[in-house]
């Protein structure tokens, strides 16, 4: 199995959760600061915020809608161009992976708050992989035919550098306060 094929196949599968994870950062612009934190400002038993201001309903809505639609459509266009050399997620796969990506990202934030990390403070690997592992698990449950061990390993290896690069891009564009 060649590496180029594996990377392309892994990217086609994880593209919807990538979009779902990346687009909530736009919520601040789109909703002009009128954001509602998922934890409704509540604190946990340790006295720290349950999730913090970095997880909002507006971000979730943008992530699910854009992850599902943009995630699916871009893959579909690639399918029209290159055909069935690759396996492609269905729109249902895209929806489920997008929802799981956002849940995984919130689980990551929950863990960060319990560790005493403030919103936006870095948690290496957790920041880059929480959403991916959740979406791969969800896809494995609803459509395991898309996943093989080499595809999963490839997705896990390529995601941290891609995540860092796109977050640095968002930081340079002024969309994010931190480059991670
Ligand atoms: N975001 C959002 N809703 C979500 C996820 C993200 O509104 N469900 C927005 C927030 O403005 C957030 C930004 O996207 O600050 C970047 O997301 P992320 O890096 O995941 O959040 P952090 O700010 O780093 O917060 P945390 O430390 O809780 O991960
Ligand atoms: Mg972050």
């Amino acid at each position: 199995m060649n590496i180029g094929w594996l990377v392309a196949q892994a990217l086609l599968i994880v593209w919807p959760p990538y979009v779902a994870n990346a687009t909530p950062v736009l919520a601040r612009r789109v909703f002009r600061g009128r954001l509602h934190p998922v934890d409704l400002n509540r604190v946990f038993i340790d006295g720290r915020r349950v999730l913090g201001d970095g997880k909002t309903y507006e971000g979730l809505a943008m992530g699910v809608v854009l992850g599902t639609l943009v995630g699916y459509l871009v893959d579909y266009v690639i399918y029209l161009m290159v055909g069935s050399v690759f396996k492609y997620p269905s729109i249902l796969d895209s929806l489920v992976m997008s929802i799981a990506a956002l849940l995984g990202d919130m689980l990551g934030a929950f863990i960060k708050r319990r560790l005493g990390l403030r919103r936006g403070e870095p948690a290496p690997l957790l920041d880059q992989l929480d959403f991916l592992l959740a979406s791969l698990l969800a896809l494995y449950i609803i459509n395991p035919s898309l996943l093989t061990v080499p595809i999963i390993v490839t997705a896990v290896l390529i995601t941290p550098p891609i995540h860092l690069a796109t977050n640095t891009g968002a930081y340079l564009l002024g969309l994010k306060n931190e480059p991670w």
Side-chain angles (χ1 to χ4, degrees), residues 149-168:
V149 171
I151 290 172
I152 294 170
V153 170
T154 304
V156 169
L157 290 177
I158 62 177
T159 297
I162 294 173
H163 187 274
L164 281 171
T166 51
N167 278 273
T168 303

Side-chain angles (χ1 to χ4, degrees), residues 6 11 14 21 34 43 45 50 54 61 67-68 72 78 83 87-89 110 114 118 121 141 146 153 180:
L6 259 180
L11 282 173
V14 298
N21 188 246
R34 291 189 298 274
V43 294
I45 45 173
V50 181
T68 305
Y72 173 73
I78 294 174
K87 296 180 275 188
Y88 300 86
F110 180 80
R114 306 292 71 75
R118 278 190 304 274
E121 274 193 79
I141 292 168
L146 284 185
V153 170
W180 46 75

Side-chain angles (χ1 to χ4, degrees), residues 80-157:
L80 293 178
M81 293 186 310
V82 302
S84 44
V85 225
F86 297 110
K87 296 180 275 188
Y88 300 86
S90 68
I91 193 147
L92 178 66
D93 297 333
S94 300
L95 171 68
V96 170
M97 280 194 285
S98 296
I99 293 172
L102 294 155
L103 290 175
D105 179 52
M106 286 197 288
L107 176 63
F110 180 80
I111 294 170
K112 285 173 72 174
R113 297 304 87 81
R114 306 292 71 75
L115 294 172
L117 297 171
R118 278 190 304 274
R119 176 245 180 113
E121 274 193 79
L125 293 183
L126 185 62
D127 281 337
Q128 289 82 41
L129 292 175
D130 51 9
F131 81 95
L132 180 79
L133 294 177
S135 54
L136 290 176
L137 178 67
L139 182 64
Y140 190 74
I141 292 168
I142 65 156
N143 189 1
S145 70
L146 284 185
L147 294 174
T148 62
V149 171
I151 290 172
I152 294 170
V153 170
T154 304
V156 169
L157 290 177

